[in-house]
Amino acid sequence: MTEVYERESLPESIDVEQFVADPEFSGASISPDGTRIAYLAPEYGRTNVWVRGVDEDHDDAVCVTHDARRGIKTYHWTDDPRWLLYLQDTDGNEDWHLYRVDLDAPEQPAVDLTPMAAGSRVVGVEPIGPVPGSVFAWMNRRPMFMDLFRIDVATGETIPHLERSEPMGTFVVDRDGEAAFYVLQTDDGTHEFYAIDPGGERRLLGRRGGPEHPMGVLPTMATPDGEGLLIGDYQDSDDLRLVRIDRETGARTVIAAVDGHSLCTMGLVSPVLPPIVFTSRRTGEVIAARFVGDRPVIEVLDPHFAEVYAALSKLSDGVLHSVSSDESEQRWVATFVHDREPEVTWFYDHGTGASRILFRGYPDLDPAHLAPMTAVEFPARDGLSLHAFLTLPVGVTPQRLPLVLLVHGGPWCHDTWTYSSLVQFLANRGYAVLQVNFRGSSGYGKRHITSAIGEFAGTMHDDLIDAAEWAVAQGYADPDRIGIAGGSYGGYAALVGVTVTPDYFAAAVDYVGISDLANFMRTLPAFVRPGMVNNWYRYVGDPEDPAQEADMLARSPITMVDRIRTPLLVAQGANDVRVVQAESDNIVGSLRARGVPVEYLVAQDEGHGFENPENQARLFRAIERHFAEHLGGRRVAERS
């Protein structure tokens, strides 16, 4: 396809490496005593943890971890200034272990505090517990049960604290680590909430339905005193609210709600995403909550934090991403979400009012050369309102552009206003990018999410076509140059796009995507399957039921592979435990057996998504070549 943009010019092309490189600085937080700052920065070719004094700069910092194989993304301060903790898996296999770093001897190797058999993992850490020198960690030493353990940080001694008796039952602890509540998902998907009385007896406080909570009731946490259970609840609204259940009476009180907006639950999808709620380091109380919107909405609940938040809001025109404070809540470190300026982190002293930028994550990226992300809304063909984000390339008239429909994973997640390296890369190469929160996406109300039940490869796909048609009708997109790309569920959506509607898309990218819904469900880790009642079983079906399996196969791209004639790029991590490599192998193998060209990238040191910069660069370059050839965007010559 010939090059476009003859009469106008895109901004200077940005090298792939600038988009995929680890941020120069990210993930900052302040120590409990307010004297030090920890953050992530590259070393040994990977992201590692660094520590410096609060008034020092990076030249004075010490790299305290030494991982040269895979970047570290999550770390925790402890109540002892000697120790710092971090999580790491092996080549993306998601078997997370908790490691200890000695800040008095940072050159020493880290110590694995959670040695476990393959398939077991740490899924949650409470770094400052009620017993000095210890932390709480949820992990499945018993393969089917996520139990709570107390770990002595200095010695590594691990003591069972609370053990589940049911795979889908879990304890909710107060600030002292005592079991205050018990939450059970029953076989039919109903959620039951119990108070735990003295002696360990459970007392039912109430029930809630299931399918509107496909990923569980989020959040679920106790108030610090154990007298209230905080949950995400729709009540009589279509919007998800933060609600308190009283442990004595069962009465429900709305703690945080924003009309027309739902709580943003993405923070529990990944620890690197913005949290659902902000909590006080001093008291443990919830001080603010995050809601979904055209831009995320922060609802402040605490008077002291209201003052802090007002001051922080003057520092950036973005939205607060994460924040940490010392124990006095006078010294703060805050990072902001922005569509064109990622990872800008500030230090703020509430006592003096002084503030300063600590660092910019990508200082070489000029926001003026990046594309704004604009919230848009339009109806699906059945009238359901669809929210989306449109990013148009800078420097050209936004008319009849090649369009990439970029589909998020989950599907019970959502796209949001933020910086995306892939979106900006595509815009820099001349593509309009449309990210639609199709039915089933979280964050847009109960009706929106439950309208996806039974609609895989059905109206969920119609929503994507309707989004692309909207872009064409608005004049943004050239109907002959529409591509589709996505990861995980988004990869499945791309495969559905080229099988269910084989003549619609000019090119497609399937990234760690599902090709066989039944095989996908059968190969998920055993310990997650009891939790699938309200998501995969309810929305898609049970592969052990022959009739439901037949319907699942009819919605699976692998059974329609003979319809594929769209140019296809497939990418897969060899260690993916969510969407196993066979999901991609089978699609690629079938196409190649028929003589249909397909490019296939497999990264041996990755799991469910590429993390290492060299693998991301390989993927981005392949996408660039693929779309340039078939959609007509620009391609930048690769450096030798």
Side-chain angles (χ1 to χ4, degrees), residues 324-354:
S324 66
S325 77
D326 64 357
E327 290 176 333
S328 71
E329 296 189 345
Q330 294 301 303
R331 290 182 160 187
W332 297 79
V333 169
T335 299
F336 293 87
V337 171
H338 198 283
D339 59 345
R340 285 166 292 152
E341 195 169 12
E343 293 280 355
V344 179
T345 301
W346 288 77
F347 173 81
Y348 168 67
D349 189 318
H350 191 58
T352 65

PDB file of all heavy atoms in Angstrom, residues 324-354:
ATOM      1  N   SER A 324       1.833   8.397  48.437  1.00  0.00           N
ATOM      2  CA  SER A 324       2.286   7.803  49.697  1.00  0.00           C
ATOM      3  C   SER A 324       2.728   8.927  50.624  1.00  0.00           C
ATOM      4  O   SER A 324       3.078  10.025  50.172  1.00  0.00           O
ATOM      5  CB  SER A 324       3.448   6.825  49.465  1.00  0.00           C
ATOM      6  OG  SER A 324       4.600   7.507  49.012  1.00  0.00           O
ATOM      7  N   SER A 325       2.694   8.643  51.914  1.00  0.00           N
ATOM      8  CA  SER A 325       3.093   9.656  52.884  1.00  0.00           C
ATOM      9  C   SER A 325       3.917   9.020  53.983  1.00  0.00           C
ATOM     10  O   SER A 325       3.955   7.791  54.132  1.00  0.00           O
ATOM     11  CB  SER A 325       1.857  10.330  53.503  1.00  0.00           C
ATOM     12  OG  SER A 325       1.271   9.487  54.477  1.00  0.00           O
ATOM     13  N   ASP A 326       4.579   9.871  54.759  1.00  0.00           N
ATOM     14  CA  ASP A 326       5.203   9.369  55.983  1.00  0.00           C
ATOM     15  C   ASP A 326       4.115   9.167  57.037  1.00  0.00           C
ATOM     16  O   ASP A 326       2.933   9.441  56.809  1.00  0.00           O
ATOM     17  CB  ASP A 326       6.290  10.321  56.461  1.00  0.00           C
ATOM     18  CG  ASP A 326       5.762  11.701  56.854  1.00  0.00           C
ATOM     19  OD1 ASP A 326       4.541  11.950  56.713  1.00  0.00           O
ATOM     20  OD2 ASP A 326       6.564  12.530  57.296  1.00  0.00           O
ATOM     21  N   GLU A 327       4.505   8.658  58.199  1.00  0.00           N
ATOM     22  CA  GLU A 327       3.510   8.339  59.230  1.00  0.00           C
ATOM     23  C   GLU A 327       2.817   9.578  59.779  1.00  0.00           C
ATOM     24  O   GLU A 327       1.702   9.492  60.292  1.00  0.00           O
ATOM     25  CB  GLU A 327       4.170   7.541  60.352  1.00  0.00           C
ATOM     26  CG  GLU A 327       4.563   6.128  59.916  1.00  0.00           C
ATOM     27  CD  GLU A 327       5.306   5.366  60.992  1.00  0.00           C
ATOM     28  OE1 GLU A 327       5.964   6.024  61.826  1.00  0.00           O
ATOM     29  OE2 GLU A 327       5.244   4.132  60.982  1.00  0.00           O
ATOM     30  N   SER A 328       3.460  10.735  59.674  1.00  0.00           N
ATOM     31  CA  SER A 328       2.827  11.967  60.159  1.00  0.00           C
ATOM     32  C   SER A 328       1.890  12.580  59.121  1.00  0.00           C
ATOM     33  O   SER A 328       1.170  13.524  59.422  1.00  0.00           O
ATOM     34  CB  SER A 328       3.904  12.992  60.533  1.00  0.00           C
ATOM     35  OG  SER A 328       4.547  13.491  59.366  1.00  0.00           O
ATOM     36  N   GLU A 329       1.926  12.062  57.913  1.00  0.00           N
ATOM     37  CA  GLU A 329       1.140  12.573  56.793  1.00  0.00           C
ATOM     38  C   GLU A 329       1.426  14.042  56.506  1.00  0.00           C
ATOM     39  O   GLU A 329       0.543  14.799  56.101  1.00  0.00           O
ATOM     40  CB  GLU A 329      -0.357  12.336  57.011  1.00  0.00           C
ATOM     41  CG  GLU A 329      -0.705  10.856  57.046  1.00  0.00           C
ATOM     42  CD  GLU A 329      -2.187  10.571  57.037  1.00  0.00           C
ATOM     43  OE1 GLU A 329      -2.979  11.493  57.284  1.00  0.00           O
ATOM     44  OE2 GLU A 329      -2.553   9.409  56.768  1.00  0.00           O
ATOM     45  N   GLN A 330       2.696  14.406  56.662  1.00  0.00           N
ATOM     46  CA  GLN A 330       3.140  15.737  56.290  1.00  0.00           C
ATOM     47  C   GLN A 330       3.960  15.711  55.004  1.00  0.00           C
ATOM     48  O   GLN A 330       3.871  16.616  54.186  1.00  0.00           O
ATOM     49  CB  GLN A 330       3.969  16.362  57.430  1.00  0.00           C
ATOM     50  CG  GLN A 330       3.168  16.633  58.687  1.00  0.00           C
ATOM     51  CD  GLN A 330       2.012  17.577  58.429  1.00  0.00           C
ATOM     52  OE1 GLN A 330       2.201  18.701  57.952  1.00  0.00           O
ATOM     53  NE2 GLN A 330       0.795  17.130  58.711  1.00  0.00           N
ATOM     54  N   ARG A 331       4.740  14.659  54.818  1.00  0.00           N
ATOM     55  CA  ARG A 331       5.553  14.524  53.613  1.00  0.00           C
ATOM     56  C   ARG A 331       4.881  13.528  52.665  1.00  0.00           C
ATOM     57  O   ARG A 331       4.523  12.424  53.077  1.00  0.00           O
ATOM     58  CB  ARG A 331       6.964  14.063  53.973  1.00  0.00           C
ATOM     59  CG  ARG A 331       7.770  15.132  54.687  1.00  0.00           C
ATOM     60  CD  ARG A 331       9.183  14.662  54.983  1.00  0.00           C
ATOM     61  NE  ARG A 331      10.068  15.793  55.215  1.00  0.00           N
ATOM     62  CZ  ARG A 331      11.390  15.708  55.362  1.00  0.00           C
ATOM     63  NH1 ARG A 331      11.987  14.518  55.273  1.00  0.00           N
ATOM     64  NH2 ARG A 331      12.127  16.785  55.566  1.00  0.00           N
ATOM     65  N   TRP A 332       4.753  13.937  51.401  1.00  0.00           N
ATOM     66  CA  TRP A 332       3.999  13.143  50.431  1.00  0.00           C
ATOM     67  C   TRP A 332       4.786  12.992  49.142  1.00  0.00           C
ATOM     68  O   TRP A 332       5.511  13.897  48.726  1.00  0.00           O
ATOM     69  CB  TRP A 332       2.661  13.821  50.108  1.00  0.00           C
ATOM     70  CG  TRP A 332       1.747  13.933  51.287  1.00  0.00           C
ATOM     71  CD1 TRP A 332       1.803  14.858  52.300  1.00  0.00           C
ATOM     72  CD2 TRP A 332       0.641  13.080  51.589  1.00  0.00           C
ATOM     73  NE1 TRP A 332       0.792  14.628  53.200  1.00  0.00           N
ATOM     74  CE2 TRP A 332       0.064  13.547  52.805  1.00  0.00           C
ATOM     75  CE3 TRP A 332       0.075  11.978  50.960  1.00  0.00           C
ATOM     76  CZ2 TRP A 332      -1.042  12.947  53.382  1.00  0.00           C
ATOM     77  CZ3 TRP A 332      -1.036  11.374  51.523  1.00  0.00           C
ATOM     78  CH2 TRP A 332      -1.585  11.861  52.730  1.00  0.00           C
ATOM     79  N   VAL A 333       4.614  11.851  48.501  1.00  0.00           N
ATOM     80  CA  VAL A 333       5.108  11.608  47.143  1.00  0.00           C
ATOM     81  C   VAL A 333       3.902  11.235  46.295  1.00  0.00           C
ATOM     82  O   VAL A 333       3.143  10.329  46.644  1.00  0.00           O
ATOM     83  CB  VAL A 333       6.166  10.486  47.119  1.00  0.00           C
ATOM     84  CG1 VAL A 333       6.462  10.060  45.690  1.00  0.00           C
ATOM     85  CG2 VAL A 333       7.446  10.956  47.810  1.00  0.00           C
ATOM     86  N   ALA A 334       3.707  11.939  45.193  1.00  0.00           N
ATOM     87  CA  ALA A 334       2.501  11.756  44.372  1.00  0.00           C
ATOM     88  C   ALA A 334       2.883  11.643  42.901  1.00  0.00           C
ATOM     89  O   ALA A 334       3.713  12.412  42.401  1.00  0.00           O
ATOM     90  CB  ALA A 334       1.538  12.925  44.569  1.00  0.00           C
ATOM     91  N   THR A 335       2.246  10.696  42.210  1.00  0.00           N
ATOM     92  CA  THR A 335       2.428  10.505  40.769  1.00  0.00           C
ATOM     93  C   THR A 335       1.092  10.718  40.078  1.00  0.00           C
ATOM     94  O   THR A 335       0.042  10.329  40.604  1.00  0.00           O
ATOM     95  CB  THR A 335       2.973   9.101  40.462  1.00  0.00           C
ATOM     96  OG1 THR A 335       4.238   8.944  41.097  1.00  0.00           O
ATOM     97  CG2 THR A 335       3.145   8.890  38.967  1.00  0.00           C
ATOM     98  N   PHE A 336       1.130  11.321  38.893  1.00  0.00           N
ATOM     99  CA  PHE A 336      -0.089  11.698  38.180  1.00  0.00           C
ATOM    100  C   PHE A 336      -0.226  10.945  36.867  1.00  0.00           C
ATOM    101  O   PHE A 336       0.753  10.625  36.192  1.00  0.00           O
ATOM    102  CB  PHE A 336      -0.092  13.206  37.903  1.00  0.00           C
ATOM    103  CG  PHE A 336      -0.200  14.043  39.143  1.00  0.00           C
ATOM    104  CD1 PHE A 336       0.937  14.405  39.852  1.00  0.00           C
ATOM    105  CD2 PHE A 336      -1.437  14.441  39.618  1.00  0.00           C
ATOM    106  CE1 PHE A 336       0.842  15.169  41.008  1.00  0.00           C
ATOM    107  CE2 PHE A 336      -1.549  15.199  40.777  1.00  0.00           C
ATOM    108  CZ  PHE A 336      -0.404  15.564  41.477  1.00  0.00           C
ATOM    109  N   VAL A 337      -1.492  10.650  36.505  1.00  0.00           N
ATOM    110  CA  VAL A 337      -1.857  10.100  35.205  1.00  0.00           C
ATOM    111  C   VAL A 337      -2.029  11.256  34.234  1.00  0.00           C
ATOM    112  O   VAL A 337      -2.640  12.272  34.563  1.00  0.00           O
ATOM    113  CB  VAL A 337      -3.179   9.310  35.308  1.00  0.00           C
ATOM    114  CG1 VAL A 337      -3.683   8.924  33.929  1.00  0.00           C
ATOM    115  CG2 VAL A 337      -3.003   8.078  36.176  1.00  0.00           C
ATOM    116  N   HIS A 338      -1.486  11.089  33.028  1.00  0.00           N
ATOM    117  CA  HIS A 338      -1.657  12.091  31.984  1.00  0.00           C
ATOM    118  C   HIS A 338      -1.596  11.374  30.657  1.00  0.00           C
ATOM    119  O   HIS A 338      -0.929  10.352  30.525  1.00  0.00           O
ATOM    120  CB  HIS A 338      -0.556  13.156  32.070  1.00  0.00           C
ATOM    121  CG  HIS A 338      -0.870  14.426  31.352  1.00  0.00           C
ATOM    122  ND1 HIS A 338      -0.787  14.552  29.985  1.00  0.00           N
ATOM    123  CD2 HIS A 338      -1.270  15.634  31.809  1.00  0.00           C
ATOM    124  CE1 HIS A 338      -1.124  15.778  29.631  1.00  0.00           C
ATOM    125  NE2 HIS A 338      -1.422  16.459  30.719  1.00  0.00           N
ATOM    126  N   ASP A 339      -2.312  11.881  29.644  1.00  0.00           N
ATOM    127  CA  ASP A 339      -2.300  11.187  28.359  1.00  0.00           C
ATOM    128  C   ASP A 339      -1.011  11.399  27.577  1.00  0.00           C
ATOM    129  O   ASP A 339      -0.625  10.563  26.764  1.00  0.00           O
ATOM    130  CB  ASP A 339      -3.522  11.578  27.517  1.00  0.00           C
ATOM    131  CG  ASP A 339      -3.619  13.059  27.212  1.00  0.00           C
ATOM    132  OD1 ASP A 339      -2.916  13.854  27.872  1.00  0.00           O
ATOM    133  OD2 ASP A 339      -4.409  13.428  26.318  1.00  0.00           O
ATOM    134  N   ARG A 340      -0.306  12.507  27.834  1.00  0.00           N
ATOM    135  CA  ARG A 340       0.884  12.803  27.026  1.00  0.00           C
ATOM    136  C   ARG A 340       2.150  12.993  27.854  1.00  0.00           C
ATOM    137  O   ARG A 340       3.201  13.291  27.278  1.00  0.00           O
ATOM    138  CB  ARG A 340       0.642  14.058  26.190  1.00  0.00           C
ATOM    139  CG  ARG A 340      -0.279  13.841  24.997  1.00  0.00           C
ATOM    140  CD  ARG A 340      -0.746  15.142  24.422  1.00  0.00           C
ATOM    141  NE  ARG A 340      -1.646  15.826  25.353  1.00  0.00           N
ATOM    142  CZ  ARG A 340      -1.795  17.139  25.416  1.00  0.00           C
ATOM    143  NH1 ARG A 340      -1.105  17.911  24.621  1.00  0.00           N
ATOM    144  NH2 ARG A 340      -2.634  17.663  26.285  1.00  0.00           N
ATOM    145  N   GLU A 341       2.076  12.847  29.155  1.00  0.00           N
ATOM    146  CA  GLU A 341       3.268  13.034  29.987  1.00  0.00           C
ATOM    147  C   GLU A 341       3.258  11.993  31.103  1.00  0.00           C
ATOM    148  O   GLU A 341       2.771  12.239  32.202  1.00  0.00           O
ATOM    149  CB  GLU A 341       3.318  14.450  30.562  1.00  0.00           C
ATOM    150  CG  GLU A 341       4.676  14.808  31.119  1.00  0.00           C
ATOM    151  CD  GLU A 341       4.806  16.281  31.454  1.00  0.00           C
ATOM    152  OE1 GLU A 341       3.787  16.998  31.466  1.00  0.00           O
ATOM    153  OE2 GLU A 341       5.926  16.721  31.699  1.00  0.00           O
ATOM    154  N   PRO A 342       3.800  10.820  30.835  1.00  0.00           N
ATOM    155  CA  PRO A 342       3.689   9.721  31.807  1.00  0.00           C
ATOM    156  C   PRO A 342       4.670   9.839  32.968  1.00  0.00           C
ATOM    157  O   PRO A 342       5.765  10.388  32.835  1.00  0.00           O
ATOM    158  CB  PRO A 342       4.032   8.494  30.952  1.00  0.00           C
ATOM    159  CG  PRO A 342       4.959   9.034  29.902  1.00  0.00           C
ATOM    160  CD  PRO A 342       4.456  10.413  29.594  1.00  0.00           C
ATOM    161  N   GLU A 343       4.228   9.319  34.111  1.00  0.00           N
ATOM    162  CA  GLU A 343       5.100   9.139  35.273  1.00  0.00           C
ATOM    163  C   GLU A 343       5.782  10.431  35.728  1.00  0.00           C
ATOM    164  O   GLU A 343       6.999  10.484  35.907  1.00  0.00           O
ATOM    165  CB  GLU A 343       6.158   8.076  34.990  1.00  0.00           C
ATOM    166  CG  GLU A 343       5.622   6.673  34.816  1.00  0.00           C
ATOM    167  CD  GLU A 343       5.316   5.967  36.139  1.00  0.00           C
ATOM    168  OE1 GLU A 343       5.614   6.542  37.204  1.00  0.00           O
ATOM    169  OE2 GLU A 343       4.785   4.859  36.089  1.00  0.00           O
ATOM    170  N   VAL A 344       4.993  11.482  35.944  1.00  0.00           N
ATOM    171  CA  VAL A 344       5.536  12.693  36.554  1.00  0.00           C
ATOM    172  C   VAL A 344       5.269  12.605  38.052  1.00  0.00           C
ATOM    173  O   VAL A 344       4.122  12.486  38.487  1.00  0.00           O
ATOM    174  CB  VAL A 344       4.908  13.961  35.962  1.00  0.00           C
ATOM    175  CG1 VAL A 344       5.479  15.205  36.633  1.00  0.00           C
ATOM    176  CG2 VAL A 344       5.139  14.009  34.460  1.00  0.00           C
ATOM    177  N   THR A 345       6.336  12.654  38.847  1.00  0.00           N
ATOM    178  CA  THR A 345       6.224  12.411  40.283  1.00  0.00           C
ATOM    179  C   THR A 345       6.738  13.618  41.053  1.00  0.00           C
ATOM    180  O   THR A 345       7.806  14.165  40.738  1.00  0.00           O
ATOM    181  CB  THR A 345       7.025  11.152  40.677  1.00  0.00           C
ATOM    182  OG1 THR A 345       6.521  10.036  39.943  1.00  0.00           O
ATOM    183  CG2 THR A 345       6.894  10.864  42.160  1.00  0.00           C
ATOM    184  N   TRP A 346       5.968  14.000  42.061  1.00  0.00           N
ATOM    185  CA  TRP A 346       6.260  15.194  42.854  1.00  0.00           C
ATOM    186  C   TRP A 346       6.498  14.822  44.318  1.00  0.00           C
ATOM    187  O   TRP A 346       5.931  13.859  44.834  1.00  0.00           O
ATOM    188  CB  TRP A 346       5.084  16.174  42.804  1.00  0.00           C
ATOM    189  CG  TRP A 346       4.904  16.871  41.501  1.00  0.00           C
ATOM    190  CD1 TRP A 346       4.366  16.357  40.355  1.00  0.00           C
ATOM    191  CD2 TRP A 346       5.254  18.229  41.198  1.00  0.00           C
ATOM    192  NE1 TRP A 346       4.347  17.296  39.366  1.00  0.00           N
ATOM    193  CE2 TRP A 346       4.882  18.463  39.848  1.00  0.00           C
ATOM    194  CE3 TRP A 346       5.828  19.264  41.935  1.00  0.00           C
ATOM    195  CZ2 TRP A 346       5.081  19.688  39.233  1.00  0.00           C
ATOM    196  CZ3 TRP A 346       6.021  20.494  41.313  1.00  0.00           C
ATOM    197  CH2 TRP A 346       5.651  20.690  39.988  1.00  0.00           C
ATOM    198  N   PHE A 347       7.304  15.650  44.974  1.00  0.00           N
ATOM    199  CA  PHE A 347       7.432  15.633  46.438  1.00  0.00           C
ATOM    200  C   PHE A 347       6.723  16.872  46.973  1.00  0.00           C
ATOM    201  O   PHE A 347       6.887  17.974  46.441  1.00  0.00           O
ATOM    202  CB  PHE A 347       8.897  15.646  46.857  1.00  0.00           C
ATOM    203  CG  PHE A 347       9.099  15.798  48.345  1.00  0.00           C
ATOM    204  CD1 PHE A 347       8.982  14.696  49.182  1.00  0.00           C
ATOM    205  CD2 PHE A 347       9.377  17.038  48.903  1.00  0.00           C
ATOM    206  CE1 PHE A 347       9.153  14.833  50.553  1.00  0.00           C
ATOM    207  CE2 PHE A 347       9.543  17.189  50.272  1.00  0.00           C
ATOM    208  CZ  PHE A 347       9.436  16.080  51.096  1.00  0.00           C
ATOM    209  N   TYR A 348       5.926  16.675  48.013  1.00  0.00           N
ATOM    210  CA  TYR A 348       5.171  17.791  48.598  1.00  0.00           C
ATOM    211  C   TYR A 348       5.257  17.713  50.117  1.00  0.00           C
ATOM    212  O   TYR A 348       5.030  16.654  50.711  1.00  0.00           O
ATOM    213  CB  TYR A 348       3.710  17.739  48.159  1.00  0.00           C
ATOM    214  CG  TYR A 348       2.795  18.660  48.935  1.00  0.00           C
ATOM    215  CD1 TYR A 348       2.912  20.041  48.832  1.00  0.00           C
ATOM    216  CD2 TYR A 348       1.815  18.151  49.792  1.00  0.00           C
ATOM    217  CE1 TYR A 348       2.087  20.890  49.551  1.00  0.00           C
ATOM    218  CE2 TYR A 348       0.982  18.986  50.513  1.00  0.00           C
ATOM    219  CZ  TYR A 348       1.119  20.353  50.393  1.00  0.00           C
ATOM    220  OH  TYR A 348       0.299  21.186  51.109  1.00  0.00           O
ATOM    221  N   ASP A 349       5.619  18.831  50.740  1.00  0.00           N
ATOM    222  CA  ASP A 349       5.678  18.931  52.201  1.00  0.00           C
ATOM    223  C   ASP A 349       4.488  19.766  52.664  1.00  0.00           C
ATOM    224  O   ASP A 349       4.430  20.973  52.410  1.00  0.00           O
ATOM    225  CB  ASP A 349       6.997  19.578  52.632  1.00  0.00           C
ATOM    226  CG  ASP A 349       7.219  19.514  54.136  1.00  0.00           C
ATOM    227  OD1 ASP A 349       6.251  19.749  54.898  1.00  0.00           O
ATOM    228  OD2 ASP A 349       8.347  19.230  54.563  1.00  0.00           O
ATOM    229  N   HIS A 350       3.535  19.088  53.313  1.00  0.00           N
ATOM    230  CA  HIS A 350       2.318  19.802  53.719  1.00  0.00           C
ATOM    231  C   HIS A 350       2.593  20.784  54.850  1.00  0.00           C
ATOM    232  O   HIS A 350       1.859  21.765  55.006  1.00  0.00           O
ATOM    233  CB  HIS A 350       1.252  18.797  54.152  1.00  0.00           C
ATOM    234  CG  HIS A 350      -0.106  19.406  54.340  1.00  0.00           C
ATOM    235  ND1 HIS A 350      -0.761  20.081  53.339  1.00  0.00           N
ATOM    236  CD2 HIS A 350      -0.937  19.454  55.428  1.00  0.00           C
ATOM    237  CE1 HIS A 350      -1.934  20.516  53.788  1.00  0.00           C
ATOM    238  NE2 HIS A 350      -2.058  20.155  55.049  1.00  0.00           N
ATOM    239  N   GLY A 351       3.632  20.526  55.631  1.00  0.00           N
ATOM    240  CA  GLY A 351       3.961  21.439  56.730  1.00  0.00           C
ATOM    241  C   GLY A 351       4.467  22.779  56.243  1.00  0.00           C
ATOM    242  O   GLY A 351       4.114  23.827  56.793  1.00  0.00           O
ATOM    243  N   THR A 352       5.275  22.761  55.188  1.00  0.00           N
ATOM    244  CA  THR A 352       5.863  24.003  54.684  1.00  0.00           C
ATOM    245  C   THR A 352       5.185  24.500  53.407  1.00  0.00           C
ATOM    246  O   THR A 352       5.349  25.658  53.025  1.00  0.00           O
ATOM    247  CB  THR A 352       7.352  23.793  54.382  1.00  0.00           C
ATOM    248  OG1 THR A 352       7.489  22.852  53.313  1.00  0.00           O
ATOM    249  CG2 THR A 352       8.083  23.263  55.618  1.00  0.00           C
ATOM    250  N   GLY A 353       4.452  23.614  52.744  1.00  0.00           N
ATOM    251  CA  GLY A 353       3.853  23.976  51.464  1.00  0.00           C
ATOM    252  C   GLY A 353       4.809  23.869  50.293  1.00  0.00           C
ATOM    253  O   GLY A 353       4.429  24.148  49.155  1.00  0.00           O
ATOM    254  N   ALA A 354       6.046  23.448  50.561  1.00  0.00           N
ATOM    255  CA  ALA A 354       7.041  23.350  49.491  1.00  0.00           C
ATOM    256  C   ALA A 354       6.789  22.112  48.628  1.00  0.00           C
ATOM    257  O   ALA A 354       6.338  21.067  49.127  1.00  0.00           O
ATOM    258  CB  ALA A 354       8.446  23.279  50.092  1.00  0.00           C
TER     259      ALA A 354
END
